[in-house]
Amino acid sequence: MAVPRAKTSKARTRRRRGINMKLVAPQLVECGNCGNLIMQHRVCPKCGFYRGRQVITPESN
């Protein structure tokens, strides 16, 4: 069984783990009804449509 010769430093460990912890911007798609940019598989907060149907009535601010 392989045994490490020296302790792995905190910096080396965190550098290795940090590669997979980067933040990713969400994928935005255009609403089919109003053209507003929304996240995929979500109801449009502007018009209340999802997959061509009105699901909610949007709040007017």
Side-chain angles (χ1 to χ4, degrees):
M1 189 167 119
V3 178
R5 288 184 180 229
K7 179 180 176 180
T8 307
S9 69
K10 293 176 189 174
R12 184 175 289 276
T13 303
R14 290 173 182 160
R15 188 179 308 127
R16 185 183 65 241
R17 291 179 182 166
I19 291 172
N20 299 319
M21 293 183 168
K22 55 183 173 275
L23 295 175
V24 186
Q27 291 286 351
L28 298 178
V29 295
E30 204 173 279
C31 174
N33 188 48
C34 67
N36 188 30
L37 289 178
I38 57 172
M39 289 178 63
Q40 292 180 335
H41 308 289
R42 305 291 196 288
V43 176
C44 178
K46 188 175 177 185
C47 64
F49 272 72
Y50 178 69
R51 295 186 68 184
R53 297 184 305 137
Q54 178 117 25
V55 182
I56 60 169
T57 53
E59 296 177 8
S60 298
N61 290 334

